Amino acid sequence: MLSVFMYTLRSHRIGLLAVSFGLFLMSLIIVYTFDAFGGLDTIAELFESLPAPMTAMFRAQAGFGTSITSYIALDYRHPVYIIAGLAFVLSVSGGAAAREIERGTALMLLASPIPRWRYLLAKVGVLVVGAVIIVAMAWLGSLAGAALTGLAGDVEAGTLLLAQVNGLGVLLASGGIAMLLSAVSSDGGRTVSVTAGILTVMYFLDFVGAIWSPAEPLAPLSLFYYLDPLAVAAGGSTFLRDVVVLFGVGLVGFVAALVLFQRRDITR
């Protein structure tokens, strides 16, 4: 099992490093933009002038808050954060079973005395470890930016960490869905494209539900409905609900993938 874990981690090390370092830099730069915009008052005026769809994308219809912590947390919902993290998740999940079967390497790996569930659990382990590294690097980037700009005393590190835990939940929930599809498929490309399609529809539902009241009841069907780092920074009461839903979806997906992969035929 450890050998499969290390083999998979080595296979994705370049992508993991690129995403982690990229989000670290982005988080660092975002702190610098706080002073570049002119501080809280100027940013508040800027948000008041933004069209409703733009503020809805960040869940900032009521403003971005009254602190630099809220401003930083707000940007954790930027599409770049979401897309970069999901790119790694889909890469690992697509190759977890479906792509290995497609290439024929799964037969070689499973020829050793290792149960299928342990083989796939090693793949899940890489996804979880990678997702944790990605959100940790984004969080550390924010702290580094605060330290370099002299704003460390005004930034609540614990609050930003909770906001990143919220983001981690989205990555793991998406990974659970992708891993489940990978476990029952023999085509890695199809697994990635179908998962990407599902997540795109979910993002659309969340966005439309925020700007169009008739679609609002559909928004909770989206994983992104439960991604609200700004509410975390503002001390919102939905954090526990959001984390339970997201981590629950991820857990169900991973467990279902392990069960179904154990029972399926390995055919290309």
Side-chain angles (χ1 to χ4, degrees):
M1 180 174 172
L2 181 60
S3 60
V4 176
F5 176 88
M6 295 307 298
Y7 159 77
T8 306
L9 186 60
R10 284 195 300 270
S11 299
H12 295 281
R13 66 186 185 279
I14 302 300
L16 177 58
L17 287 172
V19 171
S20 300
F21 187 62
L23 292 185
F24 176 89
L25 289 179
M26 182 173 176
S27 296
L28 189 152
I29 292 170
I30 282 171
V31 181
Y32 274 91
T33 65
F34 181 77
D35 281 336
F37 277 123
L40 288 171
D41 293 337
T42 304
I43 296 173
E45 293 177 3
L46 174 64
F47 266 84
E48 289 177 0
S49 66
L50 291 176
M54 184 67 71
T55 56
M57 184 173 66
F58 290 95
R59 290 284 180 85
Q61 293 95 324
F64 74 94
T66 59
S67 69
I68 184 174
T69 301
S70 297
Y71 172 73
I72 296 171
L74 166 80
D75 287 292
Y76 288 162
R77 210 176 191 276
H78 193 285
V80 171
Y81 277 100
I82 297 173
I83 293 171
L86 291 180
F88 172 79
V89 167
L90 294 184
S91 175
V92 175
S93 301
R99 188 168 291 124
E100 297 282 13
I101 295 171
E102 184 181 4
R103 294 173 178 171
T105 51
L107 297 175
M108 178 184 67
L109 292 169
L110 290 171
S112 58
I114 176 174
R116 288 189 189 181
W117 69 267
R118 294 187 66 185
Y119 164 84
L120 194 61
L121 187 60
K123 304 282 188 174
V124 172
V126 172
L127 190 153
V128 172
V129 169
V132 170
I133 290 174
I134 287 170
V135 299
M137 288 295 288
W139 176 66
L140 291 174
S142 297
L143 300 189
L148 292 173
T149 55
L151 296 171
D154 299 319
V155 173
E156 300 172 15
T159 300
L160 292 180
L161 181 59
L162 290 178
Q164 286 292 354
V165 170
N166 189 197
L168 176 63
V170 171
L171 295 184
L172 295 183
S174 302
I177 294 172
M179 194 68 71
L180 175 58
L181 293 175
S182 182
V184 298
S185 176
S186 301
D187 188 326
R190 182 183 302 164
T191 298
V192 172
S193 61
V194 170
T195 307
I198 291 172
L199 295 175
T200 300
V201 171
M202 285 186 173
Y203 190 85
F204 176 78
L205 286 177
D206 175 62
F207 178 71
V208 173
I211 63 174
W212 189 40
S213 55
E216 189 174 351
L218 298 176
L221 298 176
S222 168
L223 296 178
F224 303 103
Y225 175 81
Y226 305 97
L227 175 63
D228 198 350
L230 181 58
V232 175
S237 59
T238 61
F239 174 74
L240 182 59
R241 179 208 65 184
D242 295 343
V243 168
V244 169
V245 170
L246 292 172
F247 280 75
V249 170
L251 181 61
V252 170
F254 292 140
V255 171
L258 292 171
V259 172
L260 294 175
F261 186 66
Q262 185 75 15
R263 298 177 177 178
R264 65 163 294 186
D265 292 330
I266 305 297
T267 56
R268 283 193 262 181

